[in-house]
């Protein structure tokens, strides 16, 4: 896919990985619709992109809310004429499964899994005629257990399986669905998470020796967008490199 002239919608697009990806796409000629709940950061990111000669707009919407998100997708098409790229990137983390209220960890499932599924669902009718690319953000946590914090890994594992499944079934419409699983990235979310761990458990998990820059993840996202051969792919992005996560094969039918 040639990014120049395309329209991209990014959830969680005003900070961290989302903001970095938005700026890189804008530099390549894409128009950006940024979706987030943080209005001040949204306005600031739009100004940054426009100051660099790019095109961008912001809409305040919660990825858990179907009506708000439908409005965001509709605004992207109304503003820029079409929708070619969706980056379902919004995510949160609430540590301390048994020490926090049910509503807190339910919110993690709603944002990190339902929000991604809803983004795919809303993208489909807008892409089925001309194709497009959807990239979902999961996490290395979706590949490995995290002792004491099972909800975030469960949500991210769901995103991985969602991507593998959609990658198989939506390719016939020319819709490529892929997924990035970052390691620990130096973003505001990582800083907030450490603060919450200290608040709930009196300590924070020591950061890894090497925290990745958001640019490393953004580059993997852009590769998915540009490479038409990539569909139904899930990659783990570590400081040491990128690994492809193959889906498990379904068992053979037994008579």
């Amino acid at each position: 896919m040639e990014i120049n002239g395309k329209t991209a919608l990014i959830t969680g697009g005003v900070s961290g990985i989302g903001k970095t990806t938005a700026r890189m796409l804008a530099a390549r000629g894409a128009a950006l619709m940024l979706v987030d709940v943080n209005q001040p950061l949204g306005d600031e990111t739009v100004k940054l992109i426009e100051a660099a000669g790019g095109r961008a707009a912001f809409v305040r919407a919660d990825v858990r809310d179907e009506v708000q998100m439908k409005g965001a997708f509709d605004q992207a098409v109304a503003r820029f004429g079409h929708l070619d790229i969706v980056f379902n990137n919004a995510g949160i983390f609430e540590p301390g499964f048994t020490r926090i209220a049910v509503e807190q960890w339910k919110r993690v499932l709603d944002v990190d899994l339902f929000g991604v599924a809803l983004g795919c669902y809303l993208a489909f009718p807008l892409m089925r005629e001309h194709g497009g690319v959807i990239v979902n953000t999961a996490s290395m946590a979706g590949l490995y257990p995290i002792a004491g914090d099972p909800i975030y890994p469960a949500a991210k594992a769901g995103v991985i399986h969602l991507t593998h499944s959609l990658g198989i079934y939506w390719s016939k419409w020319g819709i490529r669905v892929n997924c990035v699983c970052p390691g620990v990235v130096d973003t505001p979310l990582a800083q907030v998470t450490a603060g919450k761990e200290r608040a709930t458990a009196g300590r924070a998990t020591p950061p890894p020796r090497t925290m990745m820059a958001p640019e490393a993840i953004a580059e993997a996202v852009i590769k998915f967008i540009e490479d038409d051969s990539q569909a139904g792919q899930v990659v783990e992005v570590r400081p040491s490199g990128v690994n492809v996560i193959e889906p498990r094969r379904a068992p053979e039918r037994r008579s």
Side-chain angles (χ1 to χ4, degrees):
M1 176 183 282
E2 171 60 50
I3 291 175
N4 185 36
K6 300 299 190 295
T7 299
L9 181 149
I10 302 179
T11 67
V14 303
S15 66
I17 295 168
K19 179 179 179 179
T20 300
T21 305
R23 296 181 71 178
M24 290 173 70
L25 287 172
R28 287 165 168 78
L32 276 299
M33 177 59 74
L34 308 177
V35 182
D36 203 281
V37 294
N38 192 317
Q39 183 81 44
L41 281 182
D43 294 339
E44 177 186 303
T45 304
V46 168
K47 289 178 182 177
L48 281 172
I49 291 172
E50 291 180 338
R55 294 181 298 155
F58 172 79
V59 58
R60 187 183 186 281
D62 189 326
V63 295
R64 301 172 295 172
D65 189 304
E66 180 185 356
V67 174
Q68 290 182 20
M69 288 303 297
K70 174 76 164 54
F73 276 77
D74 288 345
Q75 285 189 53
V77 175
R79 179 72 175 264
F80 300 116
H82 46 87
L83 183 64
D84 311 286
I85 301 160
V86 171
F87 183 24
N88 291 309
N89 173 69
I92 60 171
F93 180 61
E94 291 283 355
F97 176 45
T98 59
R99 297 186 300 273
I100 60 176
V102 169
E103 280 304 310
Q104 287 178 269
W105 59 256
K106 181 178 180 296
R107 182 167 168 261
V108 175
L109 292 173
D110 289 343
V111 172
D112 293 3
L113 178 55
F114 174 80
V116 173
L118 180 61
C120 295
Y121 174 86
L122 293 172
F124 178 74
L126 301 176
M127 292 182 172
R128 65 180 301 172
E129 296 299 327
H130 62 82
V133 184
I134 299 171
V135 182
N136 300 324
T137 298
S139 169
M140 278 174 51
L143 303 170
Y144 315 106
I146 295 182
D149 285 308
I151 299 301
Y152 182 76
K156 294 302 187 179
V159 172
I160 292 168
H161 285 288
L162 174 74
T163 301
H164 277 148
S165 295
L166 292 181
I168 296 170
Y169 297 117
W170 284 9
S171 59
K172 63 183 177 182
W173 286 287
I175 302 173
R176 298 187 290 112
V177 187
N178 297 296
C179 175
V180 288
C181 298
V184 180
V185 183
D186 189 7
T187 65
L189 176 62
Q191 298 164 14
V192 169
T193 297
K196 288 181 177 179
E197 287 180 331
R198 281 190 291 268
T200 58
R203 61 176 177 80
T205 303
R209 291 181 181 179
T210 304
M211 292 183 73
M212 290 183 294
E215 286 79 4
I217 315 305
E219 287 170 1
V221 173
I222 287 175
K223 182 177 179 181
F224 272 145
I225 293 169
E226 292 181 326
D227 188 347
D228 289 340
S229 71
Q230 299 290 310
Q233 292 289 315
V234 174
V235 296
E236 176 186 22
V237 185
R238 291 173 170 266
S240 58
V242 176
N243 302 312
V244 176
I245 307 301
E246 298 291 348
R248 294 184 63 183
R249 293 177 60 87
E252 297 287 340
R253 285 189 176 184
R254 294 183 176 88
S255 57

